[in-house]
Amino acid sequence: MSAQIIDVKNLSRAFKGSGGSVLALDSISLTVKEGTTLAVVGESGSGKTTAARLILGLDKATGGSITVLGQEISQLSSNQIRPLRREIQVVQQDPFSQLNRRHTVKRIIEGPMLAFKVGDKSSREQRVIELLEAVGLQKEHLTRKPHELSGGQCQRVAIARALALDPKILILDEAVSALDVSVRAQVLNLLKKLQKDRGLTYLFITHDLGVAHYMADEIVVMFRGRIVERGTREEIFQTPRHHYT
């Protein structure tokens, strides 16, 4: 059986508002097995992205625990969690806003390697070319900037950047929802191929049940900060138990 690469237990996150505390996450628990895809499905405001930010270490939990690759991270500082960032990367929704508009594709993909002082100039250049080809782009794209690319091409660059440090986990936060339908299918097929070739583990945040059905091995359904249903893809689609699902 696959090992649990992400293990979240009783995770809560409350935010202070003018009328008091607002519970964005209400004691959720989930696990992701190595080499599989877990889809977290729900509408806007259900808590999906809040959960992703906590797992990425970009926010602190109010309660509960988060174990990633065997390490409990829920209360670690930014400096303490930094080494783990090589193992867990994110691809976000907007293919344009997540890329620095002033940088070339080469500089964007190379960025994580520079930040973590990986390799020398020659090895980084070779790695960038390999990643570019892996996501279906060509050497001619190296010198282009985001405004010279289509939405689908920008998202491919974002995926290549996320793979630059050879992570074990990708968190895909509505990663195809801003793309045209035909381009969306191409990117989903690319993600499936990359997962198979590289043994990646995906946490796929989406509001789209069709995307979840295509990508996921297991699905959790969130509503108002809580998980209301979980199961395999077949269980969720063939015999849903909760009225919201």
Side-chain angles (χ1 to χ4, degrees):
M1 292 181 64
S2 299
Q4 291 180 358
I5 202 166
I6 299 175
D7 187 11
V8 172
K9 292 181 180 177
N10 302 316
L11 190 65
S12 297
R13 180 64 170 103
F15 294 95
K16 291 182 180 179
S18 57
S21 182
V22 177
L23 199 57
L25 284 182
D26 186 5
S27 193
I28 71 165
S29 297
L30 58 85
T31 59
V32 189
K33 296 176 182 177
E34 186 175 7
T36 68
T37 299
L38 175 71
V40 181
V41 182
E43 60 191 318
S44 178
S46 62
K48 310 184 304 297
T49 296
T50 299
R53 286 180 56 80
L54 292 173
I55 294 169
L56 283 164
L58 300 177
D59 194 9
K60 290 286 187 290
T62 307
S65 66
I66 306 164
T67 302
V68 178
L69 295 167
Q71 183 176 4
E72 213 289 325
I73 67 167
S74 59
Q75 298 304 321
L76 295 184
S77 67
S78 296
N79 286 337
Q80 289 172 323
I81 207 170
R82 191 172 188 273
L84 194 65
R85 298 204 188 284
R86 293 190 62 163
E87 307 293 348
I88 180 168
Q89 292 286 311
V90 62
V91 179
Q92 297 171 326
Q93 177 176 353
D94 189 333
F96 293 102
S97 66
Q98 63 182 311
L99 304 180
N100 191 319
R101 298 179 184 181
R102 295 176 296 176
H103 289 171
T104 63
V105 167
K106 176 182 179 295
R107 177 62 179 81
I108 288 168
I109 298 174
E110 189 182 27
M113 292 182 273
L114 291 170
F116 280 86
K117 298 180 173 60
V118 174
D120 56 20
K121 182 179 179 180
S122 176
S123 64
R124 287 195 299 268
E125 287 181 353
Q126 183 60 39
R127 175 72 171 158
V128 169
I129 292 171
E130 290 173 357
L131 289 166
L132 201 67
E133 292 175 347
V135 299
L137 297 176
Q138 309 300 322
K139 287 184 181 180
E140 66 191 56
H141 294 103
L142 284 172
T143 57
R144 296 185 186 178
K145 294 183 178 180
H147 72 273
E148 299 175 287
L149 303 174
S150 68
Q153 289 172 332
C154 279
Q155 201 64 306
R156 288 172 186 267
V157 172
I159 293 167
R161 180 183 60 183
L163 296 174
L165 298 173
D166 199 23
K168 293 182 172 64
I169 304 165
L170 287 189
I171 292 184
L172 301 148
D173 189 1
E174 297 282 9
V176 297
S177 63
L179 303 177
D180 293 339
V181 174
S182 60
V183 177
R184 185 182 309 171
Q186 294 170 12
V187 173
L188 289 175
N189 287 333
L190 170 64
L191 289 168
K192 280 209 165 216
K193 183 178 186 302
L194 290 170
Q195 183 176 45
K196 181 180 179 181
D197 292 346
R198 297 167 183 262
L200 294 165
T201 301
Y202 291 159
L203 179 63
F204 209 108
I205 310 295
T206 182
H207 68 276
D208 189 326
L209 282 168
V211 169
H213 183 269
Y214 184 68
M215 291 296 297
D217 299 291
E218 296 183 291
I219 298 171
V220 298
V221 181
M222 291 193 65
F223 180 62
R224 295 182 179 176
R226 304 187 71 182
I227 292 176
V228 296
E229 187 158 2
R230 73 187 74 210
T232 65
R233 176 178 56 196
E234 291 75 18
E235 289 169 342
I236 294 296
F237 278 86
Q238 293 176 12
T239 55
R241 297 181 301 275
H242 195 276
H243 69 87
Y244 179 68
T245 308

